[in-house]
Amino acid sequence: MFKHSVMTVAIAAAFALPLSAGAAESPELAAIRAQIQEMKQSYEARLQALEQRLQDAQAAVAEAQNAAASAQQANAPAAPAAPAPAAPTTAAAGDNSFNPSISLVLGGTFSNLSQDPSTYRFGGFMPPVGEVGPGSRSFNLGESELTMAANIDPMFAGQLTFALTGENEASVEEAFVRTRELGGGTNVKAGRFLSGVGYLNAQHSHTWDFVDAPLAYQAFFGGQYKPDGVQVRWLAPFNTFLEVGAEVGSGRSFPGNDRNKNGFNATSVFAHAGDDIGDSASWRAGLSYLRTGAADRAYEFDGIPNAFSGKSSIWMADAVYKWAPNGNPTRTNFKLQGEYMRRKESGTLAAGELADAYASTQSGWYLQGVYQFMPNWRAGLRFDRLSSGTPFIGLVDSGALGMDAFPALVRYKPQRSSVMLDWSPSEFSRLRLQFARDEARPGQTDNQVYLQYIMSLGAHAGHTF
Amino acid sequence: MRTLTKSVSNKLLAAGALALSLALPAQAAINVLTCEPEWAALTTELAGDKASVSSATNALQDPHRVEARPGLIARTRNADLLVCTGLDLEAGWLPLLVQQSGNAKIAKGQPGYFEAGSFVPRLDVPAKLDRAEGDVHAFGNPHVHLNPHNIALISAQLAKRLAAIDPANAAYYAARQADFAGRWSQAMRKWETQAAPLRGLTLVEHHRNMEYLMSWLGMRQVGTLEPKPGVEPSAAQLGQLLAQLQQQPAKLVLRAAYQDERASNWLSQRAHIPAVVVPFTVGADKESGDLFALFDTTVQRLTQAVK
Ligand SMILES: [Zn+2]
């Protein structure tokens, strides 16, 4: 279809040959010149008309392809497409046409742990409820995830994520509806969702750079904080990224527990700011605050039952810096991230029949760097630290009981160093090797080796920054 | 005394007016965010100073793989019009970006979302959708901009869309489109004459992102460095490709400025064919400052390589 243009260019070039304009021209010459001018113009007009016809024809082909594509989408996800522009067909909507998109993440680990995982604990901390510790030895199914998501109508979209564990359990990781068109930089979510506090909390575990969550997330959230409630986020209309958000929830997720109470039992607020530094780097930093409570949050240690009731509040600071040459992460890139958490709990602590005042301030942080040194290959280093502090325990202070009645709460600073290497042959698969030296238990070192695979199938959701 | 008060109040008035004029944009230019630099260049051709235009990616980034960086989310929040290639090229990052921005104007299906790729005939619409084939593009090859006839088609549609978003300047956009279309079709004729020697040329490309350029200039691909779309080449696969070139020789190995040069240089040395880098989009180097320069440079690099 381009032959005509090449040919016509040759003609145009012939017309464009310089005709030197003499100072004094004979009428004959002027007439020839006028004739050439006229031919040029009519030629130009014909050329433009042809061009227009060509464009119209191409636009028609594009439209036919659009129609074919939408018909195909409506039929079945993998139906063969018409290779040539087909005649516009009306969308024959099948039963599956409005089904949610499905994405499946399959994960598994092979673990070698030098210490018995059933004795895992964070020295100086009440044992958290949730996904804590290195998991079992040998082969583990790990956590697989099944996500279904779809637009509900122009106003709402919904998503459901099941976490499937090796213990043959399916749990609801996330199940929420969200607004689509509120505009004004506002998004609202309701249901169960990964809270916006901190940095890593909002990210699904298969996108993490290490096999397991930082110790601080395990000790303070039991893995990740996933409230049942409502979240509002607002992005400020500036050229610099500034986002604020607030959540209210039932308060049932750790460090809270079910208090059989009406109203908003857990509230959190967070703010994130960020920007680009030239083409190659960007950063994001945030501050978050979570306030919740517990009633008879029981734990047992060394056969001694204890229970905490009272308020629990957590401050978090998080920062991440990413670098990729010219903003192109394909070949090499680097990511540095760190978070600090500080939890205050105050109320009463019961031991058997006795109960008295309790107050603690505990903190933890981690810092990690991941470097992609060549396409598909990354190496990472992480350091974790927790500080239990010395809690105020009324029963000990009054002399009613000795510290031996609270062996879990003896001051300690758990720490862990991890190093990992992973290989991702494509965007959809990743294999990882990780070594960790875990000193969470007082006086014991657990040498942990993990081999992990993470594969994603089906629809592929984008990754957040 | 009276004059003093008067001059003070005049100054206050002036200061107030100044503050007001700073607070309210003097000229209500529309905010346009484009996914790729070529659409930013095209929007600037059509809208001049009536739009403030920025691109989400630069010419040295891989448009398939972009991160929803904080600065980008902020720019998306304030966009009146989003101009993207579409056809799932940006599937890995754009939906998330639009969702996080909370900007309802530019959601898919809204007038604020312009999908350039949907206005041109597509090549490579797959007969089979399977990830075993790599990161395939279900709606056909999305790298449509390297055929200037596609730019012409998209330009006409984009001018209409600008007019719909900003009706007050509709006549302005139409006039600039007419002017651009005229200059563009002249330039196309020039490029087509210059590129006449490229007809029938065989080449190896890095990713299948030069198909529209090849179909425009009558060139043909006999292999790709990537074994499958989105999968980086390995030494073994490159060896296979080299062996395959014994049967089906290629005149050159072609890559875009954003792509890693190593695989292409490896093949160039062993197959004794030139490795040619084209800017691929506007702004990749100083010879490709706008759309005209992009094609000038592309045609020039290719013709020089086969001289
Ligand atoms: Zn592609």
Side-chain angles (χ1 to χ4, degrees):
Chain A
M1 67 178 109
F2 305 118
K3 269 187 197 137
H4 89 275
S5 355
V6 175
M7 188 191 70
T8 48
V9 165
I11 302 171
F15 278 131
L17 282 176
L19 288 165
S20 61
E25 281 185 352
S26 65
E28 196 182 349
L29 263 181
I32 292 174
R33 211 178 288 285
Q35 217 173 337
I36 289 176
Q37 192 58 35
E38 197 183 312
M39 276 178 76
K40 244 185 186 176
Q41 273 166 4
S42 79
Y43 163 78
E44 192 65 36
R46 277 180 50 206
L47 204 58
Q48 269 174 19
L50 271 174
E51 199 106 39
Q52 191 55 50
R53 274 173 56 194
L54 176 66
Q55 283 203 11
D56 292 347
Q58 286 182 310
V61 171
E63 221 150 90
Q65 283 182 326
N66 291 347
S70 58
Q72 180 204 351
Q73 281 228 310
N75 278 326
T89 42
T90 42
D95 285 343
N96 293 333
S97 54
F98 294 108
N99 276 0
S101 72
I102 293 179
S103 69
L104 179 63
V105 176
L106 295 177
T109 50
F110 176 75
S111 317
N112 193 307
L113 312 167
S114 71
Q115 301 282 345
D116 178 0
S118 68
T119 67
Y120 195 83
R121 71 179 186 104
F122 299 110
F125 286 77
M126 294 185 198
V129 179
E131 284 156 46
V132 177
S136 312
R137 284 167 156 164
S138 187
F139 288 100
N140 285 292
L141 203 48
E143 201 171 280
S144 300
E145 249 182 41
L146 181 66
T147 297
M148 285 165 270
N151 291 333
I152 295 164
D153 59 18
M155 277 292 286
F156 299 105
Q159 179 182 325
L160 171 65
T161 301
F162 283 121
L164 310 165
T165 69
E167 290 80 52
N168 302 327
E169 284 167 354
S171 63
V172 177
E173 175 111 332
E174 286 193 287
F176 61 80
V177 293
R178 64 173 173 83
T179 56
R180 295 184 59 219
E181 299 193 339
L182 271 188
T186 311
N187 278 308
V188 179
K189 246 183 213 181
R192 177 177 302 174
F193 49 85
L194 294 168
S195 163
V197 298
Y199 173 68
L200 201 59
N201 195 74
Q203 303 188 2
H204 283 262
S205 56
H206 64 91
T207 67
W208 294 350
D209 296 321
F210 289 84
V211 173
D212 38 18
L215 294 188
Y217 271 82
Q218 296 188 25
F220 296 130
F221 289 154
Q224 275 173 298
Y225 180 59
K226 293 173 277 201
D228 293 355
V230 178
Q231 179 195 65
V232 182
R233 280 173 187 258
W234 181 70
L235 184 65
F238 306 140
N239 286 327
T240 306
F241 175 82
L242 177 68
E243 178 197 61
V244 293
E247 293 157 356
V248 289
S250 66
R252 277 191 289 270
S253 340
F254 186 83
N257 69 352
D258 197 346
R259 277 163 282 160
N260 190 19
K261 249 178 87 182
N262 288 321
F264 304 151
N265 301 326
T267 53
S268 43
V269 287
F270 52 87
H272 291 118
D275 209 350
D276 301 340
I277 312 167
D279 276 338
S280 302
S282 29
W283 61 275
R284 201 195 89 163
L287 266 183
S288 318
Y289 178 73
L290 161 67
R291 191 189 161 92
T292 181
D296 288 322
R297 193 181 73 201
Y299 71 92
E300 197 178 292
F301 187 72
D302 271 359
I304 306 167
N306 294 118
F308 166 77
S309 304
K311 287 184 293 197
S312 185
S313 60
I314 301 178
W315 274 105
M316 293 175 83
D318 64 271
V320 57
Y321 168 88
K322 290 193 192 184
W323 172 89
N326 280 310
N328 185 351
T330 321
R331 189 164 159 185
T332 56
N333 63 72
F334 175 68
K335 179 176 171 188
L336 182 69
Q337 87 188 50
E339 294 186 70
Y340 173 82
M341 294 162 81
R342 187 178 181 83
R343 181 176 71 180
K344 276 184 184 241
E345 296 202 308
S346 62
T348 56
L349 185 62
E353 299 291 287
L354 303 170
D356 204 345
Y358 169 85
S360 72
T361 302
Q362 305 183 307
S363 63
W365 57 269
Y366 74 91
L367 184 68
Q368 69 181 50
V370 176
Y371 180 55
Q372 178 172 309
F373 51 94
M374 58 184 280
N376 311 341
W377 286 90
R378 308 189 312 158
L381 200 62
R382 175 181 66 185
F383 186 73
D384 275 287
R385 182 108 198 217
L386 294 176
S387 171
S388 74
T390 306
F392 171 83
I393 305 171
L395 289 171
V396 175
D397 196 58
S398 66
L401 289 170
M403 205 49 210
D404 52 351
F406 306 95
L409 302 181
V410 177
R411 183 188 175 92
Y412 190 65
K413 287 187 172 177
Q415 67 175 45
R416 181 177 66 178
S417 312
S418 320
V419 38
M420 76 86 187
L421 178 73
D422 66 24
W423 176 59
S424 312
S426 79
E427 233 188 299
F428 310 104
S429 60
R430 175 165 286 167
L431 299 174
R432 178 180 287 145
L433 176 65
Q434 179 174 322
F435 294 95
R437 188 183 153 84
D438 185 315
E439 293 160 282
R441 306 165 176 92
Q444 280 183 343
T445 301
D446 189 12
N447 291 311
Q448 307 165 339
V449 185
Y450 301 97
L451 260 167
Q452 183 188 31
Y453 65 85
I454 306 166
M455 313 270 157
S456 78
L457 296 79
H460 190 58
H463 297 307
T464 48
F465 178 81
Chain B
M1 191 62 208
R2 230 191 99 223
T3 51
L4 186 66
T5 346
K6 198 177 169 192
S7 91
V8 167
S9 67
N10 274 348
K11 271 183 190 155
L12 276 175
L13 261 176
L18 183 70
L20 206 67
S21 70
L22 285 178
L24 298 167
Q27 197 183 14
I30 54 169
N31 249 319
V32 182
L33 179 68
T34 72
C35 287
E36 291 85 18
E38 61 268 20
W39 309 132
L42 182 59
T43 311
T44 307
E45 293 282 355
L46 300 180
D49 59 1
K50 297 281 188 266
S52 90
V53 185
S54 78
S55 172
T57 60
N58 67 42
L60 297 180
Q61 289 177 332
D62 182 343
H64 304 84
R65 292 184 209 177
V66 169
E67 267 206 298
R69 302 161 80 187
L72 190 50
I73 298 172
R75 279 194 279 157
T76 311
R77 157 80 162 92
N78 298 328
D80 300 304
L81 175 64
L82 185 64
V83 181
C84 296
T85 299
L87 308 179
D88 273 357
L89 174 62
E90 303 96 354
W93 52 279
L94 190 63
L96 193 75
L97 193 68
V98 172
Q99 184 205 317
Q100 289 197 332
S101 74
N103 183 348
K105 278 188 283 189
I106 54 164
K108 217 170 184 158
Q110 296 294 323
Y113 177 71
F114 181 86
E115 186 178 12
S118 71
F119 298 108
V120 302
R122 265 88 66 194
L123 302 171
D124 302 338
V125 177
K128 180 180 162 210
L129 289 182
D130 185 347
R131 284 268 161 76
E133 303 302 312
D135 193 5
V136 289
H137 296 297
F139 297 99
N141 192 313
H143 308 286
V144 300
H145 69 283
L146 283 186
N147 181 342
H149 291 268
N150 287 347
I151 300 273
L153 281 167
I154 291 162
S155 169
Q157 296 294 334
L158 182 57
K160 283 186 208 158
R161 189 64 66 85
L162 284 165
I165 297 279
D166 180 19
N169 290 312
Y172 180 81
Y173 300 131
R176 282 187 78 109
Q177 153 62 15
D179 174 59
F180 173 76
R183 287 184 293 132
W184 193 250
S185 61
Q186 267 179 9
M188 283 199 284
R189 273 174 253 152
K190 179 187 75 182
W191 295 322
E192 281 159 10
T193 338
Q194 288 170 344
L198 297 175
R199 229 155 234 292
L201 181 93
T202 52
L203 57 84
V204 170
E205 59 178 334
H206 189 113
H207 170 76
R208 290 183 66 91
N209 57 0
M210 305 286 179
E211 318 307 304
Y212 293 87
L213 177 68
M214 291 187 294
S215 99
W216 172 45
L217 298 178
M219 303 185 294
R220 195 161 55 84
Q221 179 249 78
V222 293
T224 56
L225 297 176
E226 285 183 343
K228 297 270 168 72
V231 179
E232 287 298 312
S234 73
Q237 285 149 345
L238 285 177
Q240 263 177 23
L241 179 62
L242 185 63
Q244 183 198 316
L245 290 185
Q246 307 288 321
Q247 267 77 53
Q248 272 191 307
K251 282 279 173 23
L252 53 90
V253 49
L254 183 63
R255 72 167 197 277
Y258 75 83
Q259 284 162 332
D260 196 344
E261 79 273 0
R262 286 175 306 177
S264 151
N265 288 347
W266 186 95
L267 192 73
S268 159
Q269 274 164 20
R270 283 167 186 74
H272 309 290
I273 51 174
V276 180
V277 193
V278 289
F280 192 68
T281 184
V282 176
D285 50 38
K286 53 183 188 312
E287 290 88 40
S288 340
D290 62 24
L291 283 167
F292 292 92
L294 167 66
F295 284 93
D296 282 339
T297 310
T298 305
V299 169
Q300 194 202 349
R301 299 243 177 105
L302 285 167
T303 48
Q304 238 157 32
V306 296
K307 240 174 207 161

